Amino acid sequence: MHVSTILKNKGAAIITTRPEESTGTVAQLLHVNRIGAVLVVDSDGEIAGILSERDIVRGLAVHGAGVLDRPVAEFMTRKVVTCQSTDTIASIMERMTQGRFRHLPVVDDGKLVGFISIGDVVKLRVEEYAQEVESLREYVSGGL
Ligand code: AMP
């Protein structure tokens, strides 16, 4: 199984924000869309960073409620790890575990084509296991 399988299921819609947007507005964006992170893009549409709920909590711990009026650029992670749609699910699980993050933008030939979360990966894995169990059941009952 590959990242492209996840994109086929969930589509390629990507919610983004700009570095100068306020962190409070992005907190709203996360809440309304029921997501845990948002990709930050610059005026050319290039990836500038990623801001997750963890970054907002960290900002809150340091600045208190004032974090909400500060720009996303102050709290986002700038060195963003990406994947490609041809990557295997096993390899991106490894990347997420090693990097201790739960989100990965998908970039093919320099173009942003999707954004996946650990939730998407777990959902696919659960479906895979259910299919395997079903196949084994059919195999066993076919032999009886
Ligand atoms: P998460 O577990 O995805 O909510 O993010 C935990 C931390 O990792 C936060 O500081 C994020 O900004 C950062 N982060 C999330 N995804 C990535 C990524 N793909 N590349 C680099 N950092 C990331």
Side-chain angles (χ1 to χ4, degrees):
M1 287 278 189
H2 297 87
V3 169
S4 55
T5 315
I6 295 180
L7 294 185
K8 252 179 241 149
N9 291 347
K10 77 172 277 188
I14 308 168
I15 295 165
T16 62
T17 191
R18 297 285 292 273
E20 59 275 13
E21 189 57 88
S22 77
T23 305
T25 301
V26 175
Q28 282 289 332
L29 195 68
L30 297 180
H31 167 64
V32 169
N33 291 284
R34 306 172 86 177
I35 52 175
V38 68
L39 204 58
V40 188
V41 294
D42 63 19
S43 50
D44 299 325
E46 298 290 327
I47 298 176
I50 188 166
L51 187 86
S52 101
E53 51 203 5
R54 291 229 174 128
D55 300 314
I56 300 178
V57 169
R58 206 174 296 135
L60 267 173
V62 176
H63 303 283
V67 70
L68 301 175
D69 297 323
R70 289 170 176 258
V72 161
E74 278 189 37
F75 307 104
M76 68 186 187
T77 301
R78 291 172 190 270
K79 207 168 168 227
V80 180
V81 178
T82 63
C83 67
Q84 297 184 339
S85 55
T86 48
D87 286 340
T88 62
I89 302 299
S91 79
I92 62 156
M93 283 174 84
E94 165 109 24
R95 219 167 298 171
M96 284 178 168
T97 308
Q98 292 276 330
R100 292 169 173 260
F101 48 69
R102 299 165 291 178
H103 299 88
L104 270 177
V106 188
V107 178
D108 286 344
D109 300 323
K111 189 170 175 278
L112 181 64
V113 295
F115 191 60
I116 60 175
S117 74
I118 191 86
D120 301 319
V121 176
V122 170
K123 185 168 177 282
L124 185 74
R125 274 289 195 217
V126 168
E127 284 166 8
E128 255 179 9
Y129 291 142
Q131 272 172 19
E132 268 176 38
V133 168
E134 194 48 41
S135 307
L136 283 171
R137 264 206 196 108
E138 278 170 19
Y139 176 73
V140 170
S141 61
L144 293 177

